[in-house]
Amino acid sequence: MKYAFLLSGIIEIVGGIICYVKPDFIAPIDGSVIFRLYAINALVLGLLNIFLYVHYEENKFFKNCFLAMLFFHAAISVIVYSAAPTSITYQLPATLTHLALFVIFFLSYMKDLKPDTP
């Protein structure tokens, strides 16, 4: 589970930098403010994932953070997939990237599933 945080953090930081520097690369419409806001969100989530990787412990807090990131990647993949093709330029790569991260988080969670300790 620890390395899923690292992978997610790296991908979110790279995606955030791309969205912030070149918002017109992501969307052909004039939505640069919206994509820059998402870029800041992606950068913060990427840094949060890196911090969770560095300070990882086996406890309920990290398990809940892991589940939150799992559902975040699932939601982003569904939202991007259902968006109009004219609103996002690289719809399929974004969908597949977040779907792959969701699968990695899901498989890691299922592999490390343990009973909760009080």
Side-chain angles (χ1 to χ4, degrees):
M1 285 176 39
K2 180 179 179 178
Y3 293 104
F5 282 130
L6 177 64
L7 181 64
S8 177
I10 291 169
I11 290 176
E12 287 297 324
I13 289 172
V14 170
I17 291 170
I18 291 171
C19 282
Y20 190 80
V21 174
K22 296 289 284 179
D24 54 336
F25 180 72
I26 303 297
I29 58 173
D30 184 28
S32 62
V33 173
I34 300 293
F35 282 101
R36 285 194 173 153
L37 288 172
Y38 178 74
I40 297 299
N41 178 38
L43 287 169
V44 169
L45 279 176
L47 288 173
L48 181 64
N49 278 313
I50 298 294
F51 293 148
L52 288 169
Y53 165 76
V54 170
H55 302 290
Y56 184 77
E57 294 179 18
E58 292 280 335
N59 60 33
K60 194 169 186 169
F61 172 75
F62 283 88
K63 182 179 175 182
N64 288 338
C65 289
F66 194 84
L67 288 173
M69 288 310 300
L70 182 142
F71 288 114
F72 168 77
H73 289 298
I76 292 295
S77 65
V78 169
I79 290 168
V80 171
Y81 180 75
S82 64
T86 57
S87 63
I88 298 177
T89 306
Y90 296 102
Q91 183 179 11
L92 186 61
T95 301
L96 294 178
T97 301
H98 283 283
L99 189 61
L101 285 170
F102 167 73
V103 168
I104 289 169
F105 269 79
F106 182 76
L107 293 176
S108 298
Y109 180 76
M110 295 307 283
K111 182 179 149 255
D112 291 342
L113 195 59
K114 297 177 183 96
D116 287 337
T117 57

